[in-house]
Every structure is written in C-alpha cells, then in structure tokens.
Coordinates of all heavy atoms in Angstrom, one line a residue:
K1 N 6.4 -2.3 7.1 CA 7.0 -1.6 6.0 C 7.4 -0.2 6.3 O 8.4 0.4 5.9 CB 6.1 -1.7 4.8 CG 6.6 -1.0 3.5 CD 5.6 -1.1 2.4 CE 6.1 -0.3 1.1 NZ 5.2 -0.4 0.0
D2 N 6.5 0.5 7.1 CA 6.7 1.9 7.5 C 8.0 2.0 8.3 O 8.8 3.0 8.2 CB 5.5 2.4 8.2 CG 4.3 2.6 7.3 OD1 4.5 2.7 6.0 OD2 3.2 2.7 7.8
H3 N 8.1 1.1 9.3 CA 9.3 1.1 10.1 C 10.6 0.9 9.3 O 11.6 1.5 9.6 CB 9.2 0.1 11.2 CG 8.2 0.4 12.3 ND1 7.2 -0.5 12.7 CD2 7.9 1.6 12.9 CE1 6.5 0.1 13.6 NE2 6.9 1.4 13.8
I4 N 10.5 0.0 8.4 CA 11.7 -0.3 7.6 C 12.0 0.9 6.7 O 13.2 1.3 6.5 CB 11.5 -1.6 6.7 CG1 11.4 -2.8 7.6 CG2 12.6 -1.7 5.7 CD1 11.0 -4.1 6.9
E5 N 11.0 1.6 6.2 CA 11.2 2.8 5.4 C 12.0 3.9 6.2 O 12.8 4.6 5.7 CB 9.9 3.3 4.9 CG 9.9 4.4 3.9 CD 10.3 3.8 2.5 OE1 9.6 3.0 2.0 OE2 11.3 4.3 2.0
Q6 N 11.7 3.9 7.5 CA 12.4 4.9 8.3 C 13.9 4.7 8.4 O 14.6 5.7 8.5 CB 11.8 4.9 9.8 CG 10.4 5.4 9.9 CD 9.8 5.3 11.3 OE1 10.6 5.1 12.2 NE2 8.5 5.4 11.4
I7 N 14.3 3.4 8.3 CA 15.7 3.1 8.4 C 16.5 3.8 7.2 O 17.6 4.2 7.4 CB 15.9 1.6 8.4 CG1 15.3 1.0 9.6 CG2 17.4 1.3 8.4 CD1 15.3 -0.5 9.6
F8 N 15.8 3.9 6.1 CA 16.5 4.4 4.9 C 16.1 5.8 4.5 O 16.7 6.4 3.5 CB 16.2 3.5 3.7 CG 16.8 2.1 3.9 CD1 16.0 1.1 4.5 CD2 18.0 1.8 3.5 CE1 16.5 -0.2 4.7 CE2 18.6 0.5 3.7 CZ 17.8 -0.5 4.3
E9 N 15.1 6.4 5.2 CA 14.6 7.7 4.6 C 15.6 8.8 4.7 O 15.6 9.8 3.9 CB 13.3 8.1 5.4 CG 13.5 8.4 6.8 CD 12.1 8.9 7.4 OE1 11.1 8.7 6.8 OE2 12.2 9.3 8.6
Q10 N 16.6 8.7 5.6 CA 17.6 9.7 5.6 C 18.6 9.6 4.5 O 19.3 10.6 4.2 CB 18.4 9.6 7.0 CG 17.6 9.9 8.2 CD 18.4 9.8 9.5 OE1 19.6 10.0 9.5 NE2 17.8 9.5 10.6
N11 N 18.7 8.5 3.8 CA 19.6 8.3 2.7 C 18.9 7.4 1.7 O 19.0 6.2 1.6 CB 20.8 7.6 3.2 CG 21.9 7.5 2.1 OD1 21.6 7.9 0.9 ND2 23.1 7.0 2.4
P12 N 18.0 8.1 0.8 CA 17.2 7.3 -0.2 C 18.1 6.5 -1.1 O 17.6 5.5 -1.6 CB 16.5 8.4 -1.0 CG 16.5 9.6 0.0 CD 17.8 9.5 0.7
A13 N 19.3 6.8 -1.4 CA 20.2 6.0 -2.3 C 20.9 4.9 -1.5 O 21.8 4.3 -2.1 CB 21.2 7.0 -3.0
A14 N 20.5 4.7 -0.3 CA 21.3 3.7 0.5 C 21.2 2.3 0.0 O 22.0 1.5 0.3 CB 20.8 3.8 2.0
V15 N 20.2 2.0 -0.9 CA 20.0 0.7 -1.4 C 21.3 0.3 -2.2 O 21.6 -0.9 -2.3 CB 18.7 0.6 -2.2 CG1 18.9 1.4 -3.5 CG2 18.4 -0.9 -2.5
S16 N 22.0 1.3 -2.7 CA 23.2 0.9 -3.5 C 24.3 0.4 -2.6 O 25.2 -0.3 -3.1 CB 23.7 2.2 -4.2 OG 24.1 3.2 -3.3
H17 N 24.2 0.6 -1.3 CA 25.2 0.0 -0.4 C 24.9 -1.4 0.0 O 25.7 -2.0 0.7 CB 25.3 0.9 0.9 CG 25.7 2.3 0.6 ND1 27.1 2.7 0.5 CD2 25.0 3.5 0.4 CE1 27.2 4.0 0.2 NE2 25.9 4.5 0.2
I18 N 23.7 -1.9 -0.4 CA 23.4 -3.3 -0.1 C 23.7 -4.0 -1.4 O 22.9 -4.2 -2.3 CB 21.9 -3.4 0.3 CG1 21.6 -2.6 1.5 CG2 21.6 -4.9 0.6 CD1 20.1 -2.6 1.9
T19 N 25.0 -4.4 -1.5 CA 25.5 -5.0 -2.7 C 25.0 -6.4 -3.0 O 25.2 -6.8 -4.2 CB 27.1 -5.0 -2.7 OG1 27.5 -5.7 -1.5 CG2 27.6 -3.5 -2.6
W20 N 24.5 -7.0 -2.1 CA 24.0 -8.4 -2.3 C 22.6 -8.5 -2.8 O 22.0 -9.6 -2.9 CB 24.2 -9.2 -1.0 CG 24.1 -8.4 0.3 CD1 25.0 -7.8 0.9 CD2 22.9 -8.2 1.0 NE1 24.5 -7.1 2.0 CE2 23.2 -7.4 2.1 CE3 21.6 -8.7 0.9 CZ2 22.3 -7.0 3.1 CZ3 20.6 -8.3 1.8 CH2 21.0 -7.4 2.9
I21 N 22.0 -7.3 -3.0 CA 20.7 -7.2 -3.7 C 20.9 -6.3 -4.9 O 21.2 -5.2 -4.8 CB 19.6 -6.6 -2.8 CG1 19.3 -7.5 -1.6 CG2 18.3 -6.5 -3.6 CD1 18.2 -7.1 -0.6
I22 N 20.7 -6.9 -6.1 CA 20.9 -6.2 -7.3 C 19.6 -5.7 -7.9 O 18.8 -6.6 -8.2 CB 21.7 -7.0 -8.4 CG1 23.1 -7.4 -7.8 CG2 21.9 -6.3 -9.7 CD1 23.9 -8.4 -8.6
I23 N 19.4 -4.4 -8.0 CA 18.2 -3.8 -8.5 C 18.3 -3.5 -10.0 O 19.3 -3.1 -10.5 CB 17.9 -2.6 -7.7 CG1 17.8 -2.9 -6.2 CG2 16.5 -2.0 -8.2 CD1 16.8 -3.9 -5.8
L24 N 17.2 -3.8 -10.7 CA 17.2 -3.5 -12.2 C 17.4 -2.0 -12.4 O 16.9 -1.1 -11.6 CB 15.8 -3.9 -12.7 CG 15.6 -5.4 -13.0 CD1 14.1 -5.6 -13.4 CD2 16.5 -5.9 -14.0
P25 N 18.1 -1.6 -13.5 CA 18.3 -0.2 -13.8 C 17.0 0.5 -14.0 O 16.1 -0.1 -14.7 CB 19.1 -0.3 -15.1 CG 19.8 -1.6 -15.1 CD 18.9 -2.5 -14.4
G26 N 16.8 1.6 -13.4 CA 15.6 2.4 -13.6 C 14.4 1.9 -12.7 O 13.3 2.4 -12.7
S27 N 14.7 0.9 -11.8 CA 13.7 0.4 -11.0 C 13.4 1.4 -9.9 O 14.2 2.1 -9.4 CB 14.1 -1.0 -10.3 OG 13.2 -1.4 -9.4
N28 N 12.1 1.4 -9.5 CA 11.7 2.3 -8.3 C 11.7 1.5 -7.0 O 11.1 1.9 -6.1 CB 10.3 2.9 -8.6 CG 9.3 1.8 -8.8 OD1 9.5 0.6 -8.8 ND2 8.0 2.3 -8.9
S29 N 12.3 0.4 -7.0 CA 12.4 -0.4 -5.7 C 13.1 0.3 -4.7 O 14.1 0.9 -4.9 CB 13.0 -1.8 -6.0 OG 12.2 -2.6 -6.9
T30 N 12.6 0.1 -3.4 CA 13.3 0.7 -2.3 C 13.5 -0.5 -1.3 O 12.9 -1.5 -1.4 CB 12.4 1.7 -1.6 OG1 11.2 1.1 -1.1 CG2 12.1 2.9 -2.5
P31 N 14.4 -0.3 -0.3 CA 14.5 -1.4 0.7 C 13.2 -1.8 1.3 O 13.0 -3.0 1.6 CB 15.5 -0.8 1.7 CG 16.3 0.2 0.9 CD 15.3 0.8 -0.1
A32 N 12.3 -0.8 1.6 CA 11.0 -1.1 2.2 C 10.2 -2.0 1.3 O 9.5 -2.9 1.7 CB 10.3 0.2 2.6
S33 N 10.2 -1.6 0.0 CA 9.3 -2.4 -1.0 C 9.9 -3.8 -1.2 O 9.2 -4.8 -1.4 CB 9.2 -1.7 -2.3 OG 10.5 -1.6 -2.9
I34 N 11.3 -3.9 -1.1 CA 11.9 -5.2 -1.2 C 11.5 -6.0 0.0 O 11.2 -7.2 -0.1 CB 13.5 -5.0 -1.3 CG1 13.8 -4.3 -2.6 CG2 14.2 -6.4 -1.2 CD1 15.3 -3.9 -2.6
A35 N 11.6 -5.4 1.2 CA 11.2 -6.1 2.4 C 9.8 -6.6 2.3 O 9.4 -7.7 2.8 CB 11.4 -5.2 3.6
S36 N 8.9 -5.7 1.8 CA 7.5 -6.0 1.6 C 7.3 -7.2 0.7 O 6.5 -8.1 1.0 CB 6.7 -4.8 1.1 OG 5.4 -5.1 0.9
S37 N 8.1 -7.3 -0.3 CA 8.1 -8.4 -1.2 C 8.4 -9.7 -0.5 O 7.7 -10.7 -0.6 CB 9.0 -8.2 -2.4 OG 8.7 -7.1 -3.1
F38 N 9.5 -9.7 0.2 CA 9.9 -10.9 1.0 C 8.9 -11.2 2.1 O 8.6 -12.4 2.3 CB 11.3 -10.7 1.6 CG 12.4 -10.8 0.6 CD1 13.1 -9.7 0.1 CD2 12.8 -12.1 0.1 CE1 14.1 -9.8 -0.8 CE2 13.8 -12.2 -0.8 CZ 14.5 -11.1 -1.3
G39 N 8.4 -10.1 2.7 CA 7.4 -10.4 3.8 C 6.1 -11.0 3.3 O 5.6 -11.9 3.9
N40 N 5.7 -10.6 2.1 CA 4.5 -11.2 1.5 C 4.7 -12.6 1.2 O 3.9 -13.5 1.3 CB 4.1 -10.4 0.2 CG 3.5 -9.0 0.5 OD1 3.1 -8.8 1.6 ND2 3.5 -8.2 -0.5
L41 N 5.9 -12.9 0.7 CA 6.3 -14.3 0.4 C 6.2 -15.1 1.6 O 5.6 -16.2 1.7 CB 7.7 -14.3 -0.2 CG 8.3 -15.8 -0.4 CD1 7.6 -16.5 -1.5 CD2 9.8 -15.7 -0.7
A42 N 6.7 -14.6 2.7 CA 6.7 -15.3 4.0 C 5.3 -15.5 4.5 O 4.9 -16.6 4.9 CB 7.5 -14.6 5.0
A43 N 4.5 -14.5 4.4 CA 3.1 -14.5 5.0 C 2.3 -15.5 4.2 O 1.4 -16.2 4.8 CB 2.5 -13.1 5.0

C-alpha cells in the first residue's frame, strides 16, 4: 500500500483520472486504499 501511495502522492486528485473506478461523493478513498481493498479481497 505504501508503494502504491507513492505513485499518487504527487497528485492527490489523480484518482479522478481513473474514470473506470467511480468514487462516492465526499469519499476519502484514495487509489492506495482502493488497492488495499482489492488486495485484502485477494488475500
């Protein structure tokens, strides 16, 4: 998760450019937390 966070830390709003993942309005989700969710599912 920390490594994934680094990919986006220069542009915190970058999640908006990932149009195929729709985040709830007002959500505090980040790409790293999203990846963590999927990663937990896999594990």
